[in-house]
Amino acid sequence: MSEQVNTQEVLDLDMEETDDNSTIERCLTFDSGDLILYISTKYVIEIINNHSITTLPLMPPYIKGVINLRGQVLPVVDIKLRMGNGETDYSCQQDSADERRPCIIVLDINSISLGIIVDSVRQVIDIDMKNVRPIPLKRQQKLLNGMVNMEDGSVYMSIDCESLSFAEL
């Protein structure tokens, strides 16, 4: 049985009235390896915990398999592997006492539905897109297209949804 968190409820509670010229965007933040990443909530459908993934033969290593989500079959991409970083064994983390647990973020990007498996989800925040900067060449990784320095000194990096949706699924 999968535990599901509907992000739409969270998003609706925190929505603020903004004009059409605003550069502030609602973003879901999450951890993947040593990076803090974010993605616009306009792509996020829901967050799923403890869902079984069916592996498929002859797929690239970053495609962990597929899930059946209420009759819809979705590919699941390990975002860490897709960015070219090392693999994580998520099965041993699920039994840990740590409150941050791996989960699947279900996305809809240009009518392409897929799931990305991440180390943990943080929160929904507002990011001023005027503050997003290009990633320096020495820190560039696949699928990342921008970064923003937060007030607490942390750096959040943006997932390039267009590149993710056109990946070899």
Side-chain angles (χ1 to χ4, degrees), residues 4-17:
Q4 299 177 3
V5 179
N6 188 345
T7 57
Q8 194 61 42
E9 294 171 6
V10 175
L11 303 177
D12 289 341
L13 292 176
D14 295 328
M15 276 297 188
E16 296 177 8
E17 292 292 322

PDB file of all heavy atoms in Angstrom, residues 4-17:
ATOM      1  N   GLN A   4       0.490   8.331   0.073  1.00  0.00           N
ATOM      2  CA  GLN A   4       0.526   9.389  -0.912  1.00  0.00           C
ATOM      3  C   GLN A   4       0.280  10.736  -0.250  1.00  0.00           C
ATOM      4  O   GLN A   4      -0.515  10.851   0.661  1.00  0.00           O
ATOM      5  CB  GLN A   4      -0.530   9.166  -1.984  1.00  0.00           C
ATOM      6  CG  GLN A   4      -0.317   7.870  -2.732  1.00  0.00           C
ATOM      7  CD  GLN A   4      -1.407   7.616  -3.740  1.00  0.00           C
ATOM      8  OE1 GLN A   4      -2.277   8.433  -3.917  1.00  0.00           O
ATOM      9  NE2 GLN A   4      -1.357   6.487  -4.379  1.00  0.00           N
ATOM     10  N   VAL A   5       0.977  11.728  -0.728  1.00  0.00           N
ATOM     11  CA  VAL A   5       0.805  13.090  -0.266  1.00  0.00           C
ATOM     12  C   VAL A   5       0.393  13.910  -1.468  1.00  0.00           C
ATOM     13  O   VAL A   5       1.105  13.951  -2.469  1.00  0.00           O
ATOM     14  CB  VAL A   5       2.123  13.649   0.325  1.00  0.00           C
ATOM     15  CG1 VAL A   5       1.928  15.079   0.765  1.00  0.00           C
ATOM     16  CG2 VAL A   5       2.608  12.784   1.470  1.00  0.00           C
ATOM     17  N   ASN A   6      -0.759  14.528  -1.412  1.00  0.00           N
ATOM     18  CA  ASN A   6      -1.229  15.330  -2.526  1.00  0.00           C
ATOM     19  C   ASN A   6      -0.698  16.745  -2.361  1.00  0.00           C
ATOM     20  O   ASN A   6      -1.095  17.465  -1.463  1.00  0.00           O
ATOM     21  CB  ASN A   6      -2.755  15.328  -2.587  1.00  0.00           C
ATOM     22  CG  ASN A   6      -3.284  15.981  -3.840  1.00  0.00           C
ATOM     23  OD1 ASN A   6      -2.557  16.686  -4.537  1.00  0.00           O
ATOM     24  ND2 ASN A   6      -4.537  15.746  -4.129  1.00  0.00           N
ATOM     25  N   THR A   7       0.216  17.134  -3.235  1.00  0.00           N
ATOM     26  CA  THR A   7       0.832  18.458  -3.110  1.00  0.00           C
ATOM     27  C   THR A   7      -0.151  19.561  -3.467  1.00  0.00           C
ATOM     28  O   THR A   7       0.040  20.695  -3.055  1.00  0.00           O
ATOM     29  CB  THR A   7       2.065  18.580  -4.026  1.00  0.00           C
ATOM     30  OG1 THR A   7       1.675  18.327  -5.351  1.00  0.00           O
ATOM     31  CG2 THR A   7       3.148  17.654  -3.579  1.00  0.00           C
ATOM     32  N   GLN A   8      -1.206  19.241  -4.190  1.00  0.00           N
ATOM     33  CA  GLN A   8      -2.162  20.274  -4.573  1.00  0.00           C
ATOM     34  C   GLN A   8      -2.788  20.922  -3.345  1.00  0.00           C
ATOM     35  O   GLN A   8      -3.001  22.122  -3.308  1.00  0.00           O
ATOM     36  CB  GLN A   8      -3.248  19.687  -5.488  1.00  0.00           C
ATOM     37  CG  GLN A   8      -4.073  20.741  -6.178  1.00  0.00           C
ATOM     38  CD  GLN A   8      -3.239  21.640  -7.073  1.00  0.00           C
ATOM     39  OE1 GLN A   8      -2.366  21.180  -7.782  1.00  0.00           O
ATOM     40  NE2 GLN A   8      -3.486  22.932  -7.030  1.00  0.00           N
ATOM     41  N   GLU A   9      -3.048  20.119  -2.285  1.00  0.00           N
ATOM     42  CA  GLU A   9      -3.607  20.680  -1.060  1.00  0.00           C
ATOM     43  C   GLU A   9      -2.630  21.673  -0.439  1.00  0.00           C
ATOM     44  O   GLU A   9      -3.016  22.742   0.001  1.00  0.00           O
ATOM     45  CB  GLU A   9      -3.911  19.561  -0.061  1.00  0.00           C
ATOM     46  CG  GLU A   9      -5.000  18.639  -0.529  1.00  0.00           C
ATOM     47  CD  GLU A   9      -5.149  17.420   0.368  1.00  0.00           C
ATOM     48  OE1 GLU A   9      -4.476  17.352   1.409  1.00  0.00           O
ATOM     49  OE2 GLU A   9      -5.950  16.549   0.010  1.00  0.00           O
ATOM     50  N   VAL A  10      -1.342  21.313  -0.404  1.00  0.00           N
ATOM     51  CA  VAL A  10      -0.322  22.200   0.151  1.00  0.00           C
ATOM     52  C   VAL A  10      -0.217  23.462  -0.685  1.00  0.00           C
ATOM     53  O   VAL A  10      -0.131  24.566  -0.159  1.00  0.00           O
ATOM     54  CB  VAL A  10       1.043  21.479   0.208  1.00  0.00           C
ATOM     55  CG1 VAL A  10       2.128  22.420   0.677  1.00  0.00           C
ATOM     56  CG2 VAL A  10       0.965  20.261   1.106  1.00  0.00           C
ATOM     57  N   LEU A  11      -0.242  23.311  -1.997  1.00  0.00           N
ATOM     58  CA  LEU A  11      -0.083  24.453  -2.893  1.00  0.00           C
ATOM     59  C   LEU A  11      -1.258  25.410  -2.784  1.00  0.00           C
ATOM     60  O   LEU A  11      -1.081  26.622  -2.776  1.00  0.00           O
ATOM     61  CB  LEU A  11       0.058  23.980  -4.333  1.00  0.00           C
ATOM     62  CG  LEU A  11       1.201  23.014  -4.619  1.00  0.00           C
ATOM     63  CD1 LEU A  11       1.162  22.580  -6.064  1.00  0.00           C
ATOM     64  CD2 LEU A  11       2.520  23.621  -4.260  1.00  0.00           C
ATOM     65  N   ASP A  12      -2.479  24.874  -2.693  1.00  0.00           N
ATOM     66  CA  ASP A  12      -3.660  25.716  -2.602  1.00  0.00           C
ATOM     67  C   ASP A  12      -3.669  26.539  -1.319  1.00  0.00           C
ATOM     68  O   ASP A  12      -4.099  27.686  -1.312  1.00  0.00           O
ATOM     69  CB  ASP A  12      -4.936  24.874  -2.680  1.00  0.00           C
ATOM     70  CG  ASP A  12      -5.163  24.317  -4.073  1.00  0.00           C
ATOM     71  OD1 ASP A  12      -4.567  24.851  -5.037  1.00  0.00           O
ATOM     72  OD2 ASP A  12      -5.929  23.350  -4.199  1.00  0.00           O
ATOM     73  N   LEU A  13      -3.176  25.958  -0.237  1.00  0.00           N
ATOM     74  CA  LEU A  13      -3.166  26.671   1.039  1.00  0.00           C
ATOM     75  C   LEU A  13      -2.218  27.859   1.013  1.00  0.00           C
ATOM     76  O   LEU A  13      -2.476  28.871   1.651  1.00  0.00           O
ATOM     77  CB  LEU A  13      -2.746  25.716   2.168  1.00  0.00           C
ATOM     78  CG  LEU A  13      -3.730  24.604   2.500  1.00  0.00           C
ATOM     79  CD1 LEU A  13      -3.130  23.690   3.555  1.00  0.00           C
ATOM     80  CD2 LEU A  13      -5.055  25.172   2.972  1.00  0.00           C
ATOM     81  N   ASP A  14      -1.122  27.741   0.295  1.00  0.00           N
ATOM     82  CA  ASP A  14      -0.101  28.768   0.320  1.00  0.00           C
ATOM     83  C   ASP A  14      -0.146  29.721  -0.876  1.00  0.00           C
ATOM     84  O   ASP A  14       0.730  30.558  -1.014  1.00  0.00           O
ATOM     85  CB  ASP A  14       1.292  28.118   0.372  1.00  0.00           C
ATOM     86  CG  ASP A  14       1.509  27.366   1.660  1.00  0.00           C
ATOM     87  OD1 ASP A  14       0.940  27.805   2.673  1.00  0.00           O
ATOM     88  OD2 ASP A  14       2.240  26.362   1.649  1.00  0.00           O
ATOM     89  N   MET A  15      -1.136  29.588  -1.749  1.00  0.00           N
ATOM     90  CA  MET A  15      -1.199  30.443  -2.935  1.00  0.00           C
ATOM     91  C   MET A  15      -1.416  31.892  -2.543  1.00  0.00           C
ATOM     92  O   MET A  15      -2.221  32.202  -1.693  1.00  0.00           O
ATOM     93  CB  MET A  15      -2.359  30.032  -3.852  1.00  0.00           C
ATOM     94  CG  MET A  15      -2.028  28.923  -4.768  1.00  0.00           C
ATOM     95  SD  MET A  15      -0.731  29.449  -5.869  1.00  0.00           S
ATOM     96  CE  MET A  15      -0.750  28.071  -6.941  1.00  0.00           C
ATOM     97  N   GLU A  16      -0.669  32.746  -3.177  1.00  0.00           N
ATOM     98  CA  GLU A  16      -0.819  34.173  -2.959  1.00  0.00           C
ATOM     99  C   GLU A  16      -1.245  34.804  -4.271  1.00  0.00           C
ATOM    100  O   GLU A  16      -0.892  34.337  -5.343  1.00  0.00           O
ATOM    101  CB  GLU A  16       0.511  34.784  -2.505  1.00  0.00           C
ATOM    102  CG  GLU A  16       0.994  34.260  -1.179  1.00  0.00           C
ATOM    103  CD  GLU A  16       2.357  34.847  -0.822  1.00  0.00           C
ATOM    104  OE1 GLU A  16       2.831  35.757  -1.534  1.00  0.00           O
ATOM    105  OE2 GLU A  16       2.917  34.398   0.173  1.00  0.00           O
ATOM    106  N   GLU A  17      -2.002  35.882  -4.170  1.00  0.00           N
ATOM    107  CA  GLU A  17      -2.396  36.603  -5.375  1.00  0.00           C
ATOM    108  C   GLU A  17      -1.176  37.337  -5.924  1.00  0.00           C
ATOM    109  O   GLU A  17      -0.523  38.093  -5.221  1.00  0.00           O
ATOM    110  CB  GLU A  17      -3.499  37.621  -5.042  1.00  0.00           C
ATOM    111  CG  GLU A  17      -4.817  36.978  -4.659  1.00  0.00           C
ATOM    112  CD  GLU A  17      -5.468  36.284  -5.829  1.00  0.00           C
ATOM    113  OE1 GLU A  17      -5.398  36.788  -6.960  1.00  0.00           O
ATOM    114  OE2 GLU A  17      -6.040  35.214  -5.606  1.00  0.00           O
TER     115      GLU A  17
END
